[in-house]
């Protein structure tokens, strides 16, 4: 899991059946310092996140497939939680 920030939503009017009803988000992974870390990724929304939310992002196909509730589908990233705050000690 990594921390990310939702920077945009993606709309796709033509897609495979297993993606119907699924919101697609553009998520920028973040370092613990809060700075951008790597390239933005496209992820299935499993947490009702929106633009500007800090989120928990998985970039593993098996974990992402759990969000869809289906297996053997072409997905490799998912938002699995919205972060309220982070405490670093």
């Amino acid at each position: 899991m990594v921390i990310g920030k939702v920077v945009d939503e993606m709309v796709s009017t033509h897609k495979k059946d297993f993606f119907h009803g699924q919101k697609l988000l553009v998520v920028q992974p973040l370092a613990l310092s809060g700075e951008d870390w790597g390239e933005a990724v496209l992820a299935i929304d499993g947490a009702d996140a929106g633009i500007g939310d800090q989120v928990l992002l998985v970039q593993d196909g098996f974990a992402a497939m759990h969000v869809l509730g289906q297996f053997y589908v072409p997905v490799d990233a998912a938002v699995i939680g919205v972060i309220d705050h982070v405490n670093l000690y």
Side-chain angles (χ1 to χ4, degrees):
M1 276 186 295
V2 297
I3 295 172
K5 182 176 183 178
V6 179
V7 294
D8 210 343
E9 295 181 358
M10 192 192 89
V11 176
S12 174
T13 55
H14 291 48
K15 51 193 165 189
K16 291 290 191 181
D17 290 343
F18 40 77
F19 287 122
H20 281 255
Q22 299 296 325
K23 187 165 56 172
L24 300 172
L25 301 171
V26 179
V27 180
Q28 174 62 56
L30 301 174
L32 288 177
S33 64
E35 296 179 12
D36 291 357
W37 183 56
E39 299 288 325
V41 299
L42 186 61
I44 296 289
D45 181 22
D48 199 23
I51 294 173
D53 285 341
Q54 273 199 334
V55 295
L56 292 174
L57 174 71
V58 292
Q59 293 180 278
D60 168 74
F62 191 73
M65 284 185 267
H66 274 276
V67 171
L68 288 174
Q70 299 182 51
F71 293 93
Y72 307 110
V73 295
V75 59
D76 59 2
V79 169
I80 60 168
V82 175
I83 297 172
D84 296 320
H85 64 277
V86 177
N87 291 329
L88 296 175
Y89 298 99

Coordinates of all heavy atoms in Angstrom, one line a residue:
M1 N 0.8 -1.2 0.0 CA 0.0 0.0 0.0 C 0.9 1.2 0.0 O 1.9 1.2 0.6 CB -0.9 0.1 1.3 CG -2.1 -0.7 1.2 SD -3.2 -0.4 2.6 CE -2.2 -1.1 3.9
V2 N 0.4 2.3 -0.6 CA 1.1 3.6 -0.6 C 0.0 4.6 -0.4 O -1.2 4.4 -0.6 CB 1.8 3.9 -1.9 CG1 3.0 2.9 -2.1 CG2 0.9 3.9 -3.1
I3 N 0.5 5.8 0.1 CA -0.4 6.9 0.2 C -0.5 7.7 -1.1 O 0.6 7.8 -1.8 CB 0.1 7.9 1.3 CG1 0.1 7.2 2.7 CG2 -0.7 9.2 1.3 CD1 0.7 8.0 3.8
G4 N -1.6 8.1 -1.5 CA -1.8 8.9 -2.7 C -2.8 10.0 -2.6 O -3.4 10.1 -1.6
K5 N -2.8 10.8 -3.6 CA -3.8 11.9 -3.6 C -4.5 11.8 -4.9 O -3.9 11.7 -6.0 CB -3.1 13.3 -3.5 CG -4.0 14.4 -3.5 CD -3.3 15.7 -3.3 CE -4.3 16.9 -3.2 NZ -3.7 18.2 -2.9
V6 N -5.9 11.9 -4.8 CA -6.7 11.8 -6.0 C -6.6 13.2 -6.7 O -6.9 14.2 -6.2 CB -8.2 11.5 -5.7 CG1 -9.0 11.5 -7.0 CG2 -8.3 10.2 -5.0
V7 N -6.1 13.1 -8.0 CA -5.9 14.4 -8.7 C -6.9 14.6 -9.8 O -7.1 15.7 -10.3 CB -4.5 14.5 -9.3 CG1 -3.5 14.6 -8.2 CG2 -4.2 13.3 -10.2
D8 N -7.6 13.5 -10.2 CA -8.6 13.7 -11.2 C -9.5 12.4 -11.3 O -9.2 11.4 -10.7 CB -8.0 13.9 -12.6 CG -8.8 14.7 -13.5 OD1 -10.0 14.9 -13.3 OD2 -8.2 15.3 -14.5
E9 N -10.6 12.5 -12.0 CA -11.4 11.3 -12.3 C -11.3 11.0 -13.8 O -11.0 12.0 -14.6 CB -12.8 11.6 -12.0 CG -13.1 11.7 -10.5 CD -14.5 12.0 -10.2 OE1 -15.4 12.0 -11.1 OE2 -14.8 12.1 -9.0
M10 N -11.5 9.8 -14.2 CA -11.5 9.5 -15.6 C -12.8 8.9 -16.0 O -13.4 8.1 -15.3 CB -10.4 8.4 -15.9 CG -10.2 8.3 -17.5 SD -9.2 6.9 -17.9 CE -10.5 5.7 -18.0
V11 N -13.3 9.3 -17.1 CA -14.6 8.9 -17.6 C -14.4 8.0 -18.8 O -13.7 8.4 -19.8 CB -15.6 10.0 -17.9 CG1 -16.9 9.5 -18.5 CG2 -15.8 10.9 -16.7
S12 N -15.0 6.8 -18.8 CA -14.9 5.9 -20.0 C -16.3 5.4 -20.3 O -16.9 4.8 -19.5 CB -14.0 4.7 -19.6 OG -14.0 3.8 -20.7
T13 N -16.8 5.8 -21.5 CA -18.1 5.4 -21.8 C -18.2 4.0 -22.4 O -19.3 3.4 -22.4 CB -18.7 6.4 -22.8 OG1 -17.9 6.5 -24.0 CG2 -18.9 7.8 -22.2
H14 N -17.1 3.5 -23.0 CA -17.1 2.2 -23.5 C -16.0 1.4 -22.8 O -14.9 1.7 -22.8 CB -16.7 2.2 -25.0 CG -17.7 2.8 -25.9 ND1 -18.3 4.0 -25.6 CD2 -18.3 2.4 -27.0 CE1 -19.2 4.3 -26.6 NE2 -19.2 3.3 -27.4
K15 N -16.5 0.4 -22.1 CA -15.6 -0.4 -21.3 C -16.2 -1.8 -21.1 O -17.3 -2.1 -21.3 CB -15.3 0.2 -19.9 CG -16.5 0.6 -19.2 CD -16.2 1.5 -18.0 CE -17.4 2.2 -17.5 NZ -17.1 3.2 -16.5
K16 N -15.3 -2.8 -20.6 CA -15.8 -4.1 -20.4 C -16.8 -4.1 -19.3 O -16.8 -3.3 -18.4 CB -14.6 -5.0 -20.0 CG -13.6 -5.2 -21.1 CD -14.2 -6.1 -22.1 CE -13.2 -6.6 -23.1 NZ -13.9 -7.5 -24.1
D17 N -17.7 -5.2 -19.3 CA -18.8 -5.3 -18.4 C -18.3 -5.2 -16.9 O -19.0 -4.6 -16.1 CB -19.6 -6.5 -18.6 CG -20.3 -6.5 -19.9 OD1 -20.5 -5.4 -20.4 OD2 -20.8 -7.6 -20.3
F18 N -17.2 -5.8 -16.6 CA -16.8 -5.8 -15.2 C -16.4 -4.5 -14.7 O -16.2 -4.3 -13.5 CB -15.7 -6.9 -14.9 CG -14.6 -7.0 -16.0 CD1 -13.6 -6.0 -16.1 CD2 -14.7 -8.0 -16.9 CE1 -12.7 -6.2 -17.0 CE2 -13.7 -8.1 -17.9 CZ -12.7 -7.2 -18.0
F19 N -16.2 -3.5 -15.5 CA -15.9 -2.1 -15.1 C -17.1 -1.2 -15.0 O -17.1 -0.1 -14.5 CB -14.9 -1.4 -16.0 CG -13.5 -2.0 -15.8 CD1 -12.8 -2.6 -16.9 CD2 -12.9 -2.0 -14.6 CE1 -11.5 -3.1 -16.7 CE2 -11.6 -2.5 -14.4 CZ -10.9 -3.0 -15.5
H20 N -18.3 -1.7 -15.5 CA -19.5 -0.9 -15.4 C -19.9 -0.5 -14.0 O -19.8 -1.4 -13.1 CB -20.7 -1.6 -16.1 CG -20.6 -1.5 -17.6 ND1 -21.4 -0.6 -18.3 CD2 -19.8 -2.0 -18.5 CE1 -21.2 -0.7 -19.6 NE2 -20.2 -1.6 -19.7
G21 N -20.2 0.7 -13.7 CA -20.5 1.2 -12.4 C -19.3 1.4 -11.5 O -19.5 1.8 -10.4
Q22 N -18.1 1.3 -12.0 CA -16.9 1.5 -11.3 C -16.4 2.9 -11.6 O -16.2 3.3 -12.8 CB -15.8 0.5 -11.6 CG -16.3 -0.9 -11.2 CD -16.5 -1.1 -9.7 OE1 -15.8 -0.5 -8.9 NE2 -17.5 -1.9 -9.4
K23 N -16.0 3.7 -10.6 CA -15.4 5.0 -10.8 C -13.9 4.8 -10.9 O -13.3 4.0 -10.2 CB -15.7 5.9 -9.6 CG -15.2 7.3 -9.8 CD -15.8 8.3 -8.7 CE -15.6 7.9 -7.3 NZ -16.0 8.9 -6.4
L24 N -13.3 5.5 -11.9 CA -11.9 5.4 -12.1 C -11.3 6.7 -11.7 O -11.8 7.8 -12.1 CB -11.6 5.2 -13.6 CG -12.2 3.9 -14.2 CD1 -12.0 3.8 -15.7 CD2 -11.5 2.7 -13.6
L25 N -10.2 6.6 -10.9 CA -9.5 7.8 -10.4 C -8.1 7.9 -10.9 O -7.4 6.8 -11.0 CB -9.5 7.7 -8.9 CG -10.9 7.7 -8.2 CD1 -10.7 7.4 -6.7 CD2 -11.7 8.9 -8.4
V26 N -7.6 9.1 -11.1 CA -6.2 9.3 -11.3 C -5.6 9.7 -10.0 O -6.0 10.6 -9.3 CB -6.0 10.4 -12.3 CG1 -4.5 10.7 -12.6 CG2 -6.7 10.1 -13.6
V27 N -4.6 8.8 -9.5 CA -4.1 9.0 -8.2 C -2.5 9.2 -8.3 O -1.8 8.5 -9.0 CB -4.3 7.8 -7.3 CG1 -3.7 7.9 -5.9 CG2 -5.8 7.5 -7.2
Q28 N -2.1 10.3 -7.6 CA -0.7 10.6 -7.6 C -0.1 10.0 -6.3 O -0.5 10.4 -5.2 CB -0.4 12.1 -7.6 CG 1.0 12.5 -7.4 CD 1.9 12.0 -8.5 OE1 1.7 12.3 -9.6 NE2 2.9 11.2 -8.1
P29 N 0.8 9.0 -6.4 CA 1.4 8.5 -5.2 C 2.2 9.6 -4.5 O 2.8 10.4 -5.2 CB 2.3 7.3 -5.7 CG 1.7 6.9 -7.0 CD 1.2 8.2 -7.6
L30 N 2.3 9.5 -3.2 CA 3.0 10.5 -2.4 C 4.0 9.9 -1.5 O 3.8 8.8 -1.0 CB 2.0 11.3 -1.5 CG 0.9 12.0 -2.2 CD1 -0.1 12.6 -1.1 CD2 1.4 13.1 -3.1
A31 N 5.1 10.6 -1.3 CA 6.1 10.2 -0.3 C 5.5 10.5 1.1 O 4.6 11.3 1.2 CB 7.4 10.9 -0.5
L32 N 6.1 10.0 2.2 CA 5.6 10.3 3.5 C 5.8 11.8 3.8 O 5.0 12.3 4.6 CB 6.3 9.5 4.6 CG 6.0 8.0 4.6 CD1 6.8 7.3 5.6 CD2 4.5 7.8 4.9
S33 N 6.7 12.5 3.1 CA 6.8 13.9 3.3 C 5.7 14.7 2.6 O 5.5 15.9 2.8 CB 8.1 14.4 2.6 OG 8.1 14.2 1.2
G34 N 4.9 14.0 1.8 CA 3.7 14.6 1.1 C 4.0 15.1 -0.3 O 3.2 15.6 -1.0
E35 N 5.3 14.9 -0.7 CA 5.7 15.3 -2.1 C 5.3 14.2 -3.0 O 5.2 13.0 -2.7 CB 7.2 15.6 -2.1 CG 7.6 16.8 -1.3 CD 9.1 17.0 -1.3 OE1 9.8 16.4 -2.2 OE2 9.5 17.8 -0.5
D36 N 5.1 14.5 -4.3 CA 4.8 13.6 -5.3 C 5.9 12.5 -5.4 O 7.1 12.8 -5.2 CB 4.7 14.2 -6.7 CG 3.5 15.1 -6.8 OD1 2.7 15.2 -5.9 OD2 3.3 15.8 -7.9
W37 N 5.5 11.3 -5.6 CA 6.4 10.2 -5.7 C 6.1 9.3 -6.9 O 5.1 8.6 -6.9 CB 6.4 9.4 -4.4 CG 7.3 8.2 -4.3 CD1 8.7 8.3 -4.4 CD2 7.0 6.9 -4.0 NE1 9.2 7.1 -4.2 CE2 8.2 6.2 -4.0 CE3 5.8 6.2 -3.8 CZ2 8.3 4.8 -3.8 CZ3 5.9 4.8 -3.6 CH2 7.1 4.1 -3.6
G38 N 6.8 9.4 -8.0 CA 6.6 8.6 -9.2 C 5.5 9.2 -10.0 O 5.0 10.3 -9.8
E39 N 5.0 8.4 -10.9 CA 4.0 8.8 -11.9 C 2.6 8.5 -11.4 O 2.4 7.6 -10.6 CB 4.2 8.0 -13.2 CG 5.5 8.1 -13.9 CD 5.6 9.5 -14.5 OE1 4.6 10.0 -15.0 OE2 6.7 10.1 -14.5
A40 N 1.7 9.3 -11.8 CA 0.2 9.1 -11.4 C -0.2 7.8 -12.0 O 0.2 7.4 -13.1 CB -0.6 10.3 -11.9
V41 N -1.2 7.1 -11.3 CA -1.7 5.9 -11.8 C -3.2 6.0 -11.9 O -3.9 6.8 -11.2 CB -1.3 4.7 -10.9 CG1 0.2 4.5 -10.8 CG2 -1.9 4.9 -9.5
L42 N -3.8 5.1 -12.7 CA -5.3 5.0 -12.8 C -5.7 3.9 -11.9 O -5.1 2.8 -11.9 CB -5.6 4.7 -14.3 CG -7.1 4.7 -14.6 CD1 -7.7 6.1 -14.4 CD2 -7.3 4.3 -16.1
A43 N -6.7 4.1 -11.1 CA -7.1 3.1 -10.1 C -8.6 3.0 -10.0 O -9.3 4.0 -10.1 CB -6.6 3.5 -8.7
I44 N -9.1 1.8 -9.7 CA -10.5 1.6 -9.4 C -10.8 2.2 -8.0 O -10.0 2.0 -7.1 CB -10.8 0.1 -9.4 CG1 -10.6 -0.5 -10.7 CG2 -12.2 -0.2 -8.8 CD1 -11.7 -0.1 -11.7
D45 N -11.9 2.9 -7.8 CA -12.3 3.4 -6.6 C -13.1 2.5 -5.7 O -14.2 2.1 -6.1 CB -13.1 4.7 -6.8 CG -13.5 5.4 -5.5 OD1 -12.8 5.1 -4.4 OD2 -14.5 6.2 -5.5
G46 N -12.5 2.0 -4.6 CA -13.2 1.1 -3.7 C -13.6 1.8 -2.4 O -14.0 1.1 -1.4
A47 N -13.4 3.1 -2.3 CA -13.6 3.8 -1.0 C -14.5 5.1 -1.2 O -14.5 5.9 -0.3 CB -12.3 4.1 -0.4
D48 N -15.1 5.3 -2.3 CA -15.9 6.5 -2.5 C -15.1 7.7 -2.3 O -15.5 8.7 -1.7 CB -17.1 6.5 -1.6 CG -18.2 7.4 -2.2 OD1 -18.2 7.7 -3.4 OD2 -19.0 7.9 -1.4
A49 N -13.9 7.7 -2.9 CA -12.9 8.9 -2.8 C -13.3 9.9 -3.9 O -14.0 9.6 -4.8 CB -11.5 8.4 -2.9
G50 N -12.7 11.1 -3.7 CA -13.0 12.1 -4.7 C -11.7 13.0 -4.8 O -10.7 12.8 -4.1
I51 N -11.8 13.9 -5.8 CA -10.6 14.7 -6.1 C -10.2 15.5 -4.8 O -11.0 16.1 -4.1 CB -11.0 15.7 -7.2 CG1 -11.2 14.9 -8.5 CG2 -9.9 16.7 -7.4 CD1 -11.7 15.7 -9.7
G52 N -8.9 15.4 -4.5 CA -8.3 16.1 -3.4 C -8.2 15.2 -2.2 O -7.5 15.6 -1.2
D53 N -8.8 14.1 -2.1 CA -8.7 13.2 -1.0 C -7.3 12.5 -1.0 O -6.8 12.1 -2.0 CB -9.7 12.0 -1.1 CG -11.1 12.5 -0.7 OD1 -11.3 13.6 0.0 OD2 -12.1 11.8 -1.1
Q54 N -6.8 12.3 0.2 CA -5.6 11.5 0.4 C -6.1 10.1 0.6 O -7.1 9.9 1.4 CB -4.8 11.9 1.6 CG -3.8 13.0 1.3 CD -2.7 13.0 2.4 OE1 -2.9 12.7 3.5 NE2 -1.5 13.5 2.0
V55 N -5.5 9.1 0.0 CA -6.1 7.8 -0.1 C -5.0 6.7 0.1 O -3.8 7.0 0.0 CB -6.8 7.5 -1.4 CG1 -8.0 8.4 -1.6 CG2 -5.9 7.7 -2.6
L56 N -5.5 5.5 0.5 CA -4.6 4.3 0.5 C -4.8 3.7 -0.9 O -5.9 3.4 -1.3 CB -5.1 3.3 1.6 CG -4.9 3.8 3.0 CD1 -5.5 2.8 4.0 CD2 -3.4 3.9 3.3
L57 N -3.6 3.4 -1.5 CA -3.6 2.9 -2.9 C -2.9 1.6 -2.9 O -1.8 1.5 -2.3 CB -2.9 3.9 -3.8 CG -2.6 3.5 -5.2 CD1 -3.9 3.5 -6.0 CD2 -1.6 4.5 -5.9
V58 N -3.5 0.6 -3.5 CA -2.8 -0.7 -3.7 C -2.5 -0.8 -5.2 O -3.3 -0.4 -6.0 CB -3.6 -1.9 -3.3 CG1 -3.8 -2.0 -1.8 CG2 -5.0 -2.0 -4.0
Q59 N -1.3 -1.2 -5.5 CA -0.8 -1.4 -6.9 C -0.4 -2.8 -7.1 O 0.6 -3.1 -7.6 CB 0.3 -0.4 -7.1 CG -0.1 1.0 -7.1 CD 1.1 2.0 -7.3 OE1 1.9 2.2 -6.5 NE2 1.2 2.4 -8.6
D60 N -1.3 -3.7 -6.7 CA -1.2 -5.1 -6.9 C -2.5 -5.7 -7.5 O -3.5 -5.4 -7.0 CB -0.9 -5.8 -5.5 CG -1.0 -7.3 -5.6 OD1 0.0 -7.9 -6.1 OD2 -2.0 -7.8 -5.1
G61 N -2.4 -6.4 -8.6 CA -3.6 -6.9 -9.3 C -4.5 -7.7 -8.4 O -5.7 -7.5 -8.4
F62 N -3.9 -8.6 -7.6 CA -4.8 -9.5 -6.8 C -5.6 -8.6 -5.8 O -6.8 -8.8 -5.6 CB -3.9 -10.5 -6.1 CG -4.7 -11.6 -5.4 CD1 -5.3 -12.6 -6.2 CD2 -4.8 -11.6 -4.1 CE1 -6.1 -13.6 -5.6 CE2 -5.6 -12.6 -3.4 CZ -6.2 -13.6 -4.2
A63 N -4.9 -7.7 -5.1 CA -5.6 -6.8 -4.1 C -6.6 -6.0 -4.8 O -7.7 -5.8 -4.3 CB -4.5 -5.9 -3.4
A64 N -6.3 -5.4 -6.0 CA -7.2 -4.6 -6.7 C -8.4 -5.4 -7.2 O -9.6 -4.8 -7.2 CB -6.5 -3.9 -7.9
M65 N -8.2 -6.6 -7.6 CA -9.4 -7.5 -8.0 C -10.4 -7.7 -6.8 O -11.6 -7.8 -7.1 CB -8.9 -8.8 -8.5 CG -8.3 -8.7 -9.9 SD -7.9 -10.3 -10.6 CE -6.1 -10.4 -10.1
H66 N -9.9 -7.7 -5.6 CA -10.8 -7.8 -4.5 C -11.8 -6.6 -4.4 O -12.9 -6.8 -4.0 CB -10.0 -7.9 -3.1 CG -9.6 -9.2 -2.8 ND1 -10.4 -10.1 -2.1 CD2 -8.4 -9.8 -3.0 CE1 -9.7 -11.3 -2.0 NE2 -8.5 -11.1 -2.5
V67 N -11.4 -5.4 -4.8 CA -12.3 -4.3 -4.8 C -13.4 -4.5 -5.8 O -14.6 -4.2 -5.5 CB -11.5 -3.0 -5.2 CG1 -12.4 -1.8 -5.4 CG2 -10.5 -2.7 -4.1
L68 N -13.1 -5.1 -6.9 CA -14.1 -5.4 -7.9 C -15.0 -6.6 -7.5 O -16.1 -6.7 -8.0 CB -13.5 -5.7 -9.3 CG -12.9 -4.5 -10.0 CD1 -12.2 -5.0 -11.3 CD2 -14.0 -3.5 -10.4
G69 N -14.4 -7.4 -6.7 CA -15.2 -8.6 -6.3 C -15.1 -9.7 -7.4 O -16.0 -10.6 -7.4
Q70 N -14.2 -9.5 -8.3 CA -14.1 -10.5 -9.4 C -12.6 -10.8 -9.6 O -11.8 -9.9 -9.4 CB -14.6 -9.9 -10.7 CG -16.1 -9.5 -10.7 CD -16.5 -9.0 -12.0 OE1 -16.3 -9.6 -13.0 NE2 -17.2 -7.8 -12.0
F71 N -12.3 -11.9 -10.1 CA -10.9 -12.3 -10.3 C -10.7 -12.5 -11.8 O -11.6 -12.7 -12.6 CB -10.6 -13.5 -9.5 CG -10.6 -13.2 -8.0 CD1 -11.7 -13.4 -7.3 CD2 -9.5 -12.6 -7.4 CE1 -11.8 -13.1 -5.9 CE2 -9.5 -12.3 -6.1 CZ -10.7 -12.5 -5.4
Y72 N -9.5 -12.5 -12.2 CA -9.1 -12.7 -13.6 C -9.6 -11.5 -14.5 O -10.1 -11.7 -15.6 CB -9.5 -14.0 -14.2 CG -9.0 -15.1 -13.3 CD1 -9.9 -15.9 -12.5 CD2 -7.6 -15.4 -13.2 CE1 -9.4 -16.9 -11.7 CE2 -7.2 -16.4 -12.4 CZ -8.1 -17.2 -11.6 OH -7.6 -18.1 -10.8
V73 N -9.6 -10.3 -13.9 CA -9.9 -9.1 -14.7 C -8.7 -8.2 -14.8 O -7.8 -8.3 -13.9 CB -11.1 -8.3 -14.0 CG1 -12.4 -9.2 -14.1 CG2 -10.8 -7.9 -12.6
P74 N -8.5 -7.4 -15.8 CA -7.3 -6.6 -16.0 C -7.3 -5.3 -15.2 O -7.7 -4.3 -15.7 CB -7.4 -6.4 -17.5 CG -8.8 -6.4 -17.9 CD -9.5 -7.4 -17.0
V75 N -7.0 -5.5 -13.9 CA -6.9 -4.3 -13.1 C -5.7 -4.4 -12.2 O -5.3 -5.5 -11.8 CB -8.2 -4.1 -12.2 CG1 -8.4 -5.3 -11.4 CG2 -8.1 -2.9 -11.4
D76 N -4.9 -3.4 -12.0 CA -3.7 -3.5 -11.2 C -3.6 -2.4 -10.2 O -2.5 -2.3 -9.5 CB -2.5 -3.5 -12.1 CG -2.4 -2.2 -13.0 OD1 -3.2 -1.3 -12.8 OD2 -1.4 -2.2 -13.7
A77 N -4.6 -1.6 -10.0 CA -4.5 -0.6 -8.9 C -5.9 -0.2 -8.4 O -6.9 -0.2 -9.2 CB -3.8 0.7 -9.4
A78 N -6.0 0.0 -7.1 CA -7.3 0.4 -6.5 C -7.1 1.3 -5.3 O -6.1 1.1 -4.6 CB -8.1 -0.9 -6.1
V79 N -8.1 2.1 -5.1 CA -8.1 2.9 -3.9 C -8.9 2.1 -2.9 O -10.1 1.7 -3.2 CB -8.8 4.3 -4.1 CG1 -9.1 5.0 -2.8 CG2 -7.9 5.1 -5.0
I80 N -8.4 1.9 -1.7 CA -9.0 1.0 -0.7 C -9.4 1.8 0.6 O -10.0 1.2 1.5 CB -8.2 -0.2 -0.4 CG1 -6.9 0.2 0.2 CG2 -8.0 -1.1 -1.6 CD1 -6.1 -1.0 0.8
G81 N -9.0 3.0 0.7 CA -9.4 3.8 1.8 C -9.1 5.3 1.7 O -8.3 5.7 0.8
V82 N -9.9 6.1 2.4 CA -9.6 7.5 2.4 C -9.0 7.8 3.8 O -9.4 7.4 4.8 CB -11.0 8.3 2.3 CG1 -10.7 9.8 2.5 CG2 -11.6 8.0 1.0
I83 N -7.8 8.6 3.7 CA -7.0 8.9 4.9 C -7.6 10.1 5.6 O -7.7 11.2 4.9 CB -5.6 9.1 4.5 CG1 -5.0 7.8 3.9 CG2 -4.8 9.5 5.7 CD1 -3.6 7.9 3.3
D84 N -7.9 10.0 6.9 CA -8.3 11.2 7.6 C -7.1 12.0 8.1 O -7.1 13.2 8.0 CB -9.1 10.7 8.9 CG -10.4 10.0 8.5 OD1 -11.0 10.5 7.5 OD2 -10.7 9.0 9.1
H85 N -6.1 11.3 8.6 CA -4.8 12.0 9.0 C -3.7 11.0 9.1 O -4.0 9.8 9.3 CB -5.0 12.9 10.2 CG -5.3 12.1 11.4 ND1 -6.5 11.7 11.8 CD2 -4.5 11.6 12.4 CE1 -6.5 11.0 12.9 NE2 -5.3 10.9 13.3
V86 N -2.5 11.5 9.1 CA -1.3 10.6 9.2 C -0.5 11.2 10.4 O -0.2 12.4 10.4 CB -0.5 10.6 7.9 CG1 0.8 9.7 8.2 CG2 -1.3 10.0 6.8
N87 N -0.1 10.4 11.3 CA 0.8 10.8 12.4 C 2.1 10.1 12.2 O 2.2 8.9 12.1 CB 0.3 10.4 13.8 CG -1.0 11.1 14.2 OD1 -1.2 12.3 13.8 ND2 -1.9 10.5 14.9
L88 N 3.2 10.9 12.0 CA 4.5 10.4 11.9 C 5.3 10.8 13.2 O 5.3 11.9 13.6 CB 5.2 11.0 10.7 CG 4.6 10.7 9.3 CD1 5.3 11.5 8.2 CD2 4.7 9.2 9.1
Y89 N 5.9 9.8 13.8 CA 6.7 10.0 15.0 C 8.1 9.9 14.8 O 8.6 9.2 14.0 CB 6.2 9.0 16.1 CG 4.8 9.2 16.5 CD1 3.8 8.3 16.0 CD2 4.4 10.2 17.3 CE1 2.4 8.5 16.3 CE2 3.0 10.4 17.6 CZ 2.1 9.5 17.1 OH 0.7 9.7 17.4

